Structure formats: structure tokens, C-alpha cells
Amino acid sequence: MTMLLLMCWLAEVALVEALNMTHLFSDNMVLDFREPAVHGYAKPGATVTASFNGATAHATASAADGSWRVVLGASACEGMPRNAVLSVSEEAGSTVSAKNVACGQVFVCTGQSSA
């Protein structure tokens, strides 16, 4: 039992140490044109750089949990080419990207129970 708990803890630590974008950011996505932003997790304290359509911005991952958020600014969505790439990198050299990204209006819809 102790070995299983140790393995689970090590797997969790390994996931937090790796640079990633949250599951909302993937290939064929739409960034909100009003405030194009990207967020995810990296090694705590790491400097994260996001690039999109010629715009670049930086953030520092939280020392507590490694979370980060980069706001690219509205100019990132001006004159959008087709098949743009959203790229995120950290100072250690890790890079992740999303291909075929567009800018537009993003709506999050939820329902209400009838109970």
C-alpha cells in the first residue's frame, strides 16, 4: 500500500514539473479576441513565454502550484493568418503548442436543472 501511494505521489509531481497548457488549449481551438490569454502549469517559479501571431508575453509560474496565466493582448488577433500556432515555452527549453488556432467570440454556456 505504501509503495502504491509513493508511486501516485511521484506521478503527480512529474506532471506538475512538466510544462503544459490546460485542456482548453489544443489544436483547432478559438481564442477570445477580446482578451487572448492562455494558462497552464509549469515548474514552480519558471518563466513562461507565450507567442501567437507575432505577439509575445511572459509570466512566472506560481511558487505554490506552478500555475501560470499569460495575456497576449488584443493586438495578437489583428490580421490573423490561417493556421496560426499558439506556442508556449519555458526557460528550461520545454515547448508545447496548439496548431490551427483562430481568434473569435467565445461563449461558455451552461444549463439549469429543472428540479
Side-chain angles (χ1 to χ4, degrees):
M1 182 66 169
T2 304
M3 186 60 128
L4 179 62
L5 290 173
L6 179 62
M7 288 174 49
C8 290
W9 178 79
L10 289 173
E12 182 179 345
V13 169
L15 289 175
V16 172
E17 295 291 323
L19 173 68
N20 64 51
M21 295 184 282
T22 58
H23 68 279
L24 298 173
F25 301 94
S26 62
D27 293 348
N28 307 311
M29 65 166 289
V30 177
L31 280 176
D32 192 336
F33 76 95
R34 295 168 291 184
E35 186 179 277
V38 59
H39 47 89
Y41 294 91
K43 181 179 178 182
T47 300
V48 177
T49 303
S51 302
F52 179 70
N53 194 30
T56 302
H58 310 279
T60 301
S62 165
D65 63 358
S67 63
W68 53 267
R69 182 172 190 264
V70 176
V71 178
L72 291 161
S75 64
C77 288
E78 293 177 2
M80 276 289 305
R82 289 185 155 198
N83 302 321
V85 175
L86 171 63
S87 178
V88 177
S89 61
E90 69 174 333
E91 58 201 12
S94 299
T95 302
V96 293
S97 61
K99 299 172 191 74
N100 195 30
V101 177
C103 284
Q105 291 183 328
V106 177
F107 296 93
V108 177
C109 302
T110 62
Q112 179 179 351
S113 67
S114 58

